[in-house]
């Protein structure tokens, strides 16, 4: 299905007059005929959004297998079948399938973002066809259709407004504008940004108030909503830093295993003169041993633990790797409305007769105090009382408590006025009852004021509120008074506040109110100034981000003045700095855009494509970018960012489906908590990897030593290689022992300096040099102990007598069992050293992580089953051990504990010496 093209002929409809629009589209206010609509539907296509299909479950499952390590394991299993080692092959293929299932479960998530976008287009619309107003399917709308709107309607397509009556449209989800937009039918400037195109109504937005008639100028993919849909389809998910680094590790392991296997096979056949089958089985064992089969499970479990902890802190993770990515975030790009601010208009200042009064409290909850000159008011001044009196009676909104949440009915601006009145201690119920409204002139976008006639104390009073310029021209004011009021308005406007002016006329003789009644001679009552205030917790969270080396940038579709004011309150801008608008970004070179993205912290009046460009510019500078938002306009950038974060309460379905993390409390502070949890998850992942990979190195070294240095044994006249472990036994260690002990590391507490260190570089390898050195030390210790015990046990059993097949089988099974047990105890003692990679295992608190001791207990029980249960003896070729063998295995395994503790002590001393030397140099 091909999506219809955008606007016919690419015309900028917002800049054309009504007549020009109708002329271009060959339509009139009587609408299209049925035949014309049908012909245009064929030409432009249906008013629907193109949907991009998601990958099938089978394709997702295949991706889990189609990788170098997966193919290496499959080849090993197939080789085991060829050598008639069916038990080993079953175990190997079982590991492949388990890993594939784990990866599938992690990735399988249907991408519903496009479907959510499509749901924003209503099913039906009211159109005028053949001169009659009829309900039609929204899908059948075509350019040139005449559509009528009324309060509560979703706009079904992009409309050029022709007739407007008091129309307010909620566009926050599309443009980021925090307030409803008053629409008019006059053309606007050709280069007006999306949020300033007041002559347009855009598909998917919501009519809050009034009525309108508009001409459809774009449908489906040609609408602004369709443009965002196209951006979503074109935007791919980013690979996480950990995923990239683990892919490098996996590729390196695969290449190393293939090389060593080739060497071992050649050595066994041509140097040791061993049978080809024996040499191939050693190669299979080494391939299985060197590959960390339990790695996918451990990573998934570590991330899942982080997901659970983040959920407790109000952050729901929809994509597991996002947990780790949060911990490496270097830049957070945040929307303003509803994320850094509450999306609840709040009166902060009343200006009356030259006096300024400050209101505390935020949002629509009517809790707060009023101060003058820093002192709390104990008695309401008459002038302030009269101002609030007008603000409440010339008002149609209501504020009420529902399920412990303050909600509003009506316009958000008017609701903010009601809340301010309640804070002053005035009873809204008494005001309504005792001051009946006799008549009203509703607010209209053309007149920019609302006026009511109320019966107050036996007299008729006219009460007026509206845009300051409209109210002031109706008041009797001297030049000096006018100058003083304008200065005050300019001051509050620079602070990003919306200023509402109020006036009244007492004791009028009229019983009805007419426009002529408010043309002049009104008494100016004062100003009320409001803003969508920053969240207090967001300010604290931004400070925490800065201390953690994370830059916070605000990217909003709101007005630059408002954005600058909020940015300064949040600590994102100094007094000397200013916001950058989307218009300023147009025409910048790639280098200029990257410089702007790095140097500017507040961007205003930006379009969805600008947000993507800024995210990509930061990513090009090697930053890990988190993008937060709640609107449709945020969704493409949320999807493009390394970590997309959507708001759970105010967020649209589109933004939530595009995101990897959803904040259930819409609180920026929850992002900081999620970053903290992300850093803990990453630290614990590295600890788990630093614990697991020495085992694979140790197993590979053990088998290599056996091939290169163990003697060839003649059993009944046939040369046989001494194999320290079989493939199934190496899988036991990799999948049972390693996972049992790795999982408890996922529950380690946060490192003390986690939120005081700089974010790690995205190019930083998973393992630093000192961790690689430690892996080698532990791997070699593990191999030396295992090989020594194997040879000791094997030769103890066979003695000096000729080797028979029965005695060889007995000695081999017991020696291999002791070898496996020795490696298991080495893992147990090394686990304590992995609780902190740099400090003593006591530094984390010896009993601060109970799962550590649970994991050790479970592993010892499983190892006992491995040794003594007949079914497992048959499956894995193990044999019973006596108490003496257990003690030897434990003693050899314990060597790793003091060796690594000494290594930590030496490295910490050396690091402290370097730090002191650097201080002395300074």
């Amino acid at each position: 299905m091909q999506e219809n093209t955008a606007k016919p002929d690419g015309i900028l409809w917002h800049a054309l007059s009504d007549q020009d629009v109708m002329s271009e589209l060959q339509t009139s206010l009587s609408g299209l005929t049925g035949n014309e609509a049908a012909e245009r539907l064929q030409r432009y296509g249906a008013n629907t959004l193109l949907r991009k299909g998601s990958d099938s479950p089978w394709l997702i499952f295949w991706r889990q297998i189609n990788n170098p390590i997966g193919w290496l394991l499959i080849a090993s299993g197939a080789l085991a079948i060829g050598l008639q080692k069916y038990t080993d092959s079953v175990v190997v293929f079982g590991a492949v399938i388990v890993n594939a299932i784990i990866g599938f479960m992690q990735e399988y998530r249907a991408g519903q973002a496009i479907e959510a976008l499509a749901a924003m287009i209503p099913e039906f619309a009211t159109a005028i066809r053949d001169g009659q107003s009829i309900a039609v399917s929204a899908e059948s709308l075509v350019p040139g259709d005449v559509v009528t709107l009324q309060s509560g309607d979703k706009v079904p397509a992009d409309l050029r407004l022709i007739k407007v009556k008091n129309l307010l449209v909620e566009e926050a989800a599309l443009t980021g504008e925090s307030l409803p937009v008053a629409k008019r039918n006059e053309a606007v400037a050709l280069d007006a940004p999306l949020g300033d195109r007041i002559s347009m109504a855009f598909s998917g937005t919501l009519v809050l108030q009034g009525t309108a008639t508009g001409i459809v100028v774009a449908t489906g993919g040609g609408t602004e909503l369709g443009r965002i849909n196209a951006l979503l389809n074109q935007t791919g998910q980013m690979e996480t830093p950990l995923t990239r680094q683990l892919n490098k590790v996996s590729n390196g392991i695969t290449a190393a295993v293939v090389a060593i296997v080739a060497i071992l096979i050649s050595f066994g056949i041509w140097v040791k003169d061993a049978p080809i089958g024996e040499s191939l089985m050693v190669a299979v064992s080494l391939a299985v041993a060197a590959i960390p089969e339990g790695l996918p499970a451990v990573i998934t479990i570590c991330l899942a633990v982080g997901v659970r902890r983040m959920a407790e802190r109000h952050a729901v993770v929809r994509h597991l790797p996002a947990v780790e990515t949060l911990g490496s975030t270097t830049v957070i790009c945040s929307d303003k409305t509803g994320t850094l601010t509450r999306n609840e208009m709040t009166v902060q200042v009343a200006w009356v007769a030259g006096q300024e009064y400050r209101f505390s409290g935020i949002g629509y909850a009517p809790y707060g105090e009023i101060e003058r000159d820093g002192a709390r008011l104990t008695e309401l001044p008459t002038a302030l009382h009269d101002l609030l009196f007008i603000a409440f009676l010339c008002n149609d909104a209501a504020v009420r408590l529902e399920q412990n949440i303050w909600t509003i009915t009506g316009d958000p601006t008017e609701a903010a006025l009601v809340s301010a009145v309640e804070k002053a201690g005035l009873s809204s119920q008494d005001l309504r009852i005792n001051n009946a409204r006799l008549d009203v002139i509703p607010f209209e976008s053309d007149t920019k004021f609302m006026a009511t006639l109320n019966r107050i104390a036996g007299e008729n009073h006219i009460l007026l509120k509206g845009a300051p310029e409209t109210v002031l021209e109706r008041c009797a004011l001297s030049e000096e008074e006018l100058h003083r009021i304008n200065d005050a308005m300019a001051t509050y406007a620079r602070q990003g506040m919306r200023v509402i002016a109020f006036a009244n006329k007492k004791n009028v003789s009229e019983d009805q109110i007419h426009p002529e009644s408010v043309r002049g001679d009104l008494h100016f009552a004062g100003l009320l100034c409001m803003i969508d205030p920053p969240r207090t917790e967001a300010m604290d969270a931004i400070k925490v981000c800065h201390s953690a080396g994370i830059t916070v940038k605000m990217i909003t579709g709101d007005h630059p003045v408002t954005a600058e004011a909020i940015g300064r309150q949040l600590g994102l801008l100094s007094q000397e700095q200013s916001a950058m608008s989307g218009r300023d970004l147009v025409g910048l070179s790639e280098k200029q855009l990257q410089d702007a993205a790095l140097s500017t912290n507040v961007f205003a009046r930006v379009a969805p494509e600008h947000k993507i460009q800024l995210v990509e510019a930061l990513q090009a500078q090697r930053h890990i970018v988190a993008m937060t938002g709640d609107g449709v306009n945020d969704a493409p950038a949320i999807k493009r960012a390394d970590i997309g974060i959507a708001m759970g309460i105010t967020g649209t379905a589109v933004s939530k489906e595009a995101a990897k993390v959803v904040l259930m409390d819409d609180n920026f502070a929850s992002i900081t908590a999620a970053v903290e949890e992300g850093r803990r998850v990453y630290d614990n992942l590295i600890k788990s990897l630093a614990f697991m990979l020495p085992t694979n190195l140790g197993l590979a070294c053990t088998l290599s030593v056996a091939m290169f240095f163990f003697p060839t044994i003649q059993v009944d006249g046939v040369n046989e290689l001494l194999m320290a472990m079989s493939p199934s036994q190496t899988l036991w260690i990799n999948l049972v022992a390693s996972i049992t002990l790795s999982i408890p590391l996922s529950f380690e507490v946060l490192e003390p300096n986690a939120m005081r260190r700089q974010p790690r570089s995205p190019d930083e390898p998973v393992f630093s040099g000192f961790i690689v050195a430690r892996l080698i030390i532990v791997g070699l210790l593990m191999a030396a102990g295992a090989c020594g015990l194997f040879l000791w046990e094997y030769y103890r059993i066979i003695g000096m007598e000729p080797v028979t097949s029965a005695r060889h089988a007995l000695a081999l099974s017991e020696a291999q069992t002791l070898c496996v047990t020795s490696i298991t105890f080495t893992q147990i003692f090394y686990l304590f050293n992995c609780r902190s990679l740099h400090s003593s295992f006591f530094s984390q608190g010896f009993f601060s992580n109970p799962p550590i001791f649970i994991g050790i207990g479970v592993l010892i029980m499983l190892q006992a089953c491995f040794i003594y249960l007949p079914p497992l003896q048959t499956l894995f070729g193990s044999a019973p051990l006596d108490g003496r063998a257990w003690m030897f295995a434990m003693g050899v395994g314990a060597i790793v504990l003091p060796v690594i503790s000494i290594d930590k002590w030496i490295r910490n001393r050396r690091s402290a010496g370097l730090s002191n030397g650097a201080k002395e140099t300074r």
Side-chain angles (χ1 to χ4, degrees):
M1 169 185 170
Q2 183 176 1
E3 201 166 26
N4 62 305
T5 57
K7 314 157 183 64
D9 302 323
I11 297 169
L12 298 174
W13 300 102
H14 59 274
L16 297 184
S17 67
D18 302 359
Q19 294 303 318
D20 287 342
V21 171
M22 287 187 279
S23 175
E24 288 285 349
L25 291 171
Q26 298 180 355
T27 189
S28 66
L29 290 179
S30 59
L32 301 173
T33 66
N35 290 335
E36 287 173 332
E39 186 275 326
R40 294 189 186 194
L41 187 61
Q42 290 293 321
R43 190 195 321 169
Y44 294 112
N47 181 30
T48 57
L49 299 180
L50 182 66
R51 304 188 184 191
K52 182 179 179 182
S54 57
D55 293 338
S56 70
W58 287 113
L59 181 59
I60 295 174
F61 187 81
W62 171 248
R63 275 203 295 268
Q64 315 311 314
I65 299 174
N66 189 24
N67 57 73
I69 284 183
W71 283 112
L72 192 58
L73 283 174
I74 290 172
S76 300
L79 187 57
I81 291 176
L83 298 172
Q84 298 183 344
K85 301 291 184 178
Y86 299 115
T87 301
D88 291 323
S89 68
V90 168
V91 175
V92 172
F93 283 128
V96 173
I97 293 172
V98 168
N99 282 341
I101 291 173
I102 291 172
F104 172 82
M105 293 174 63
Q106 175 179 318
E107 185 176 341
Y108 182 61
R109 176 174 60 89
Q112 299 297 316
I114 307 306
E115 285 75 6
L117 264 174
M120 295 188 68
I121 300 178
E123 294 183 6
F124 296 97
T126 302
I128 299 175
R129 289 187 179 169
D130 297 312
Q132 301 293 320
S133 179
I134 60 172
V136 300
S137 166
E139 289 188 5
S140 68
L141 289 177
V142 295
D145 260 326
V146 178
V147 172
T148 59
L149 300 173
Q150 59 184 355
S151 179
D153 284 349
K154 267 188 181 176
V155 180
D158 281 4
L159 309 178
R160 173 61 169 88
L161 299 173
I162 303 300
K163 293 182 179 179
V164 173
K165 180 72 172 177
N166 198 25
L167 186 68
L168 284 179
V169 180
E170 173 62 69
E171 294 184 343
L174 186 67
T175 67
E177 181 69 54
S178 55
L179 291 170
V181 180
K183 297 292 185 178
R184 298 190 310 197
N185 62 345
E186 292 90 352
V188 297
L190 199 67
D191 61 348
L194 192 65
D196 293 335
R197 297 177 187 177
I198 58 175
S199 59
M200 299 286 296
F202 298 109
S203 178
T205 58
L206 180 65
V207 177
L208 292 183
Q209 176 181 305
T211 59
T213 301
I215 296 177
V216 175
V217 295
T219 58
T223 63
E224 292 299 324
L225 196 65
R227 190 165 58 85
I228 294 174
N229 176 70
L231 287 174
L232 266 176
N233 276 328
Q234 296 164 8
T235 304
Q237 297 280 5
M238 288 295 294
E239 191 179 31
T240 70
L242 180 65
T243 303
R244 289 195 292 268
Q245 295 300 329
L246 288 178
N247 285 339
K248 291 180 181 179
V249 171
S250 298
N251 292 335
I253 290 174
T254 303
V257 168
V258 170
I260 295 172
V261 163
I263 294 171
L264 286 183
I265 293 174
S266 303
F267 188 87
I269 294 173
W270 287 300
V271 177
K272 303 194 76 168
D273 196 27
I276 293 177
E278 291 289 324
S279 298
L280 290 176
M281 275 311 295
V282 173
V284 171
S285 297
L286 186 133
V288 174
I291 294 173
E293 290 86 2
L295 187 60
V298 169
I299 291 174
T300 300
I301 291 167
C302 281
L303 296 176
V305 170
V307 166
R308 181 179 61 80
R309 290 183 180 276
M310 284 189 183
E312 294 172 357
R313 304 180 78 169
H314 310 295
V316 175
V317 177
R318 305 180 67 247
H319 185 58
L320 275 181
V323 180
E324 174 273 328
T325 311
L326 272 168
S328 60
T329 299
T330 59
V331 178
I332 298 176
C333 297
S334 177
D335 183 35
K336 177 185 74 69
T337 306
T339 307
L340 294 172
T341 64
R342 296 179 60 89
N343 197 19
E344 295 180 3
M345 295 302 291
T346 304
V347 172
Q348 292 195 329
V349 176
W351 190 88
V352 185
Q355 291 289 331
E356 180 183 271
Y357 300 89
R358 290 272 172 178
F359 289 72
S360 65
I362 56 176
Y364 297 126
Y367 305 131
E369 298 176 346
I370 305 175
E371 296 180 351
R372 181 174 62 189
D373 299 328
R376 179 175 175 271
L377 287 181
T378 56
E379 185 176 346
L380 203 62
T382 301
L384 179 58
H385 174 278
D386 292 345
L387 173 63
L388 296 175
F389 187 82
I390 299 168
F392 181 79
L393 292 177
C394 188
N395 193 317
D396 289 327
V399 177
R400 62 187 181 279
L401 185 64
E402 291 184 353
Q403 297 179 347
N404 295 321
I405 298 175
W406 286 94
T407 59
I408 68 170
T409 301
D411 180 72
T413 300
E414 291 192 336
L417 300 176
V418 173
S419 178
V421 170
E422 294 278 1
K423 290 176 184 177
L426 302 177
S427 169
S428 57
Q429 185 174 1
D430 291 344
L431 290 176
R432 293 278 189 217
I433 293 172
N434 298 329
N435 304 281
R437 180 185 293 182
L438 305 178
D439 200 5
V440 62
I441 299 177
F443 177 89
E444 293 190 14
S445 55
D446 290 337
T447 59
K448 296 184 180 180
F449 73 84
M450 173 183 179
T452 63
L453 181 67
N454 292 74
R455 187 71 175 172
I456 301 171
E459 299 177 351
N460 289 357
H461 289 207
I462 292 176
L463 311 177
L464 181 78
K465 84 165 187 298
E469 63 274 13
T470 302
V471 174
L472 291 176
E473 69 183 14
R474 288 165 167 77
C475 296
L477 294 167
S478 66
E479 287 293 327
E480 181 182 351
E481 290 173 321
L482 195 59
H483 180 73
R484 187 171 56 173
I485 294 169
N486 283 326
D487 282 348
M489 290 193 303
T491 298
Y492 298 127
R494 283 194 297 270
Q495 297 174 25
M497 294 189 189
R498 184 179 188 186
V499 181
I500 310 294
F502 299 84
N504 65 342
K505 184 186 290 186
K506 297 181 179 180
N507 196 19
V508 297
S509 58
E510 306 166 36
D511 291 328
Q512 290 183 323
I513 188 170
H514 305 283
E516 295 77 14
S517 308
V518 292
R519 290 201 185 279
D521 296 327
L522 273 75
H523 168 71
F524 178 74
L527 307 172
L528 286 174
C529 310
M530 64 185 68
I531 197 170
D532 179 14
R535 294 175 177 267
T536 305
E537 59 272 23
M539 298 187 210
D540 297 333
I542 288 172
K543 292 177 183 176
V544 173
C545 286
H546 288 166
S547 67
I550 301 171
T551 302
V552 179
K553 296 180 183 291
M554 185 168 74
I555 304 177
T556 178
D558 216 336
H559 195 279
V561 174
T562 304
E564 281 187 12
I566 297 297
R568 290 194 175 95
Q569 292 183 49
L570 289 167
L572 301 180
L573 286 179
S574 66
Q575 290 301 320
E576 296 75 26
Q577 293 174 315
S578 59
M580 196 171 189
S581 71
R583 187 179 298 176
D584 298 330
L585 299 174
V586 176
L588 295 183
S589 67
E590 184 176 341
K591 179 64 169 62
Q592 289 172 326
L593 182 62
Q594 290 177 8
D595 291 342
L598 286 174
S599 61
T600 306
N601 286 341
V602 175
F603 297 88
R605 274 291 188 260
V606 291
E609 58 268 28
H610 294 146
K611 295 185 178 184
I612 292 181
Q613 289 169 4
L614 290 169
V615 168
E616 291 177 339
L618 290 166
Q619 289 171 335
Q621 297 292 309
R622 312 304 300 157
H623 282 285
I624 302 299
V625 182
M627 177 73 202
T628 76
D630 57 0
V632 176
N633 60 323
D634 301 314
I638 286 175
K639 186 177 179 184
R640 183 66 180 87
D642 297 279
I643 178 73
I645 305 171
M647 303 298 109
I649 299 174
T650 59
T652 60
V654 184
S655 63
K656 292 176 188 175
E657 290 298 337
K660 295 172 182 172
V661 176
V662 178
L663 301 184
M664 299 314 296
D665 58 354
D666 284 16
N667 192 337
F668 186 87
S670 294
I671 300 176
T672 307
V675 168
E676 179 181 288
E677 194 60 44
R679 292 194 175 189
R680 186 173 87 142
V681 166
Y682 180 79
D683 288 345
N684 291 346
L685 261 176
I686 296 301
K687 292 173 185 178
S688 297
L689 295 175
F691 170 77
M692 287 190 69
L693 294 186
T695 300
N696 297 104
L697 179 61
L699 293 175
C701 288
T702 300
L703 293 170
S704 298
V705 167
M707 172 63 83
F708 289 123
F709 302 109
F710 284 11
T712 302
I713 303 298
Q714 278 204 344
V715 181
D716 296 334
V718 178
N719 284 344
E720 287 201 20
L721 294 174
L722 277 182
M723 294 179 61
M725 285 170 289
S726 68
S728 58
Q729 289 168 347
T730 58
L731 272 174
W732 170 269
I733 296 172
N734 273 338
L735 289 177
V736 178
S738 293
I739 291 178
T740 305
L741 297 181
S742 295
I743 291 174
L745 289 173
S746 306
F747 297 90
E748 280 298 335
V749 297
L750 186 72
E751 293 279 349
N753 66 337
M755 289 302 284
R756 294 195 298 272
R757 66 181 186 232
Q758 294 295 303
R760 71 182 189 280
S761 166
D763 296 323
E764 180 182 321
V766 173
F767 298 127
S768 60
F770 97 89
I771 293 182
V772 172
R774 185 167 296 167
L775 300 186
I776 294 173
I777 293 172
V778 175
L780 293 177
L781 283 174
M782 185 180 291
C787 288
L789 283 179
F790 173 88
L791 291 173
W792 176 78
E793 183 71 4
Y794 180 82
Y795 283 109
R796 185 186 68 82
I797 294 174
I798 63 170
M800 302 303 294
E801 300 176 12
V803 181
T804 64
S805 59
R807 185 176 291 276
H808 170 72
L810 174 63
L812 185 64
S813 62
E814 287 197 26
Q816 287 179 336
T817 303
L818 183 57
C819 179
V820 170
T821 306
S822 167
I823 291 174
T824 299
F825 274 109
T826 303
Q827 288 180 300
I828 289 173
F829 286 105
Y830 180 52
L831 177 66
F832 287 104
N833 270 316
C834 286
R835 294 190 61 190
S836 176
L837 296 178
H838 300 274
S839 306
S840 163
F841 58 84
F842 292 106
S843 65
Q844 295 289 91
F846 190 75
F847 296 106
S848 63
N849 186 7
I852 288 285
F853 302 98
I854 296 173
I856 291 172
V858 169
L859 177 57
I860 290 175
M861 287 190 293
L862 289 173
Q863 188 66 23
C865 294
F866 172 87
I867 295 171
Y868 298 113
L869 286 185
L872 293 185
Q873 290 175 349
T874 302
L875 183 61
F876 291 102
S878 56
L881 297 179
D882 56 23
R884 175 185 52 81
W886 277 86
M887 294 302 296
F888 275 119
M890 188 182 302
V892 169
I895 294 173
V896 74
L897 187 60
V899 170
I900 299 303
S901 297
I902 292 171
D903 176 66
K904 287 183 181 180
W905 181 80
I906 293 173
R907 290 182 181 276
N908 288 336
R909 293 270 297 184
R910 185 182 303 163
S911 176
L914 290 174
S915 298
N916 292 333
K919 289 178 182 178
E920 291 174 4
T921 302
R922 290 195 297 269

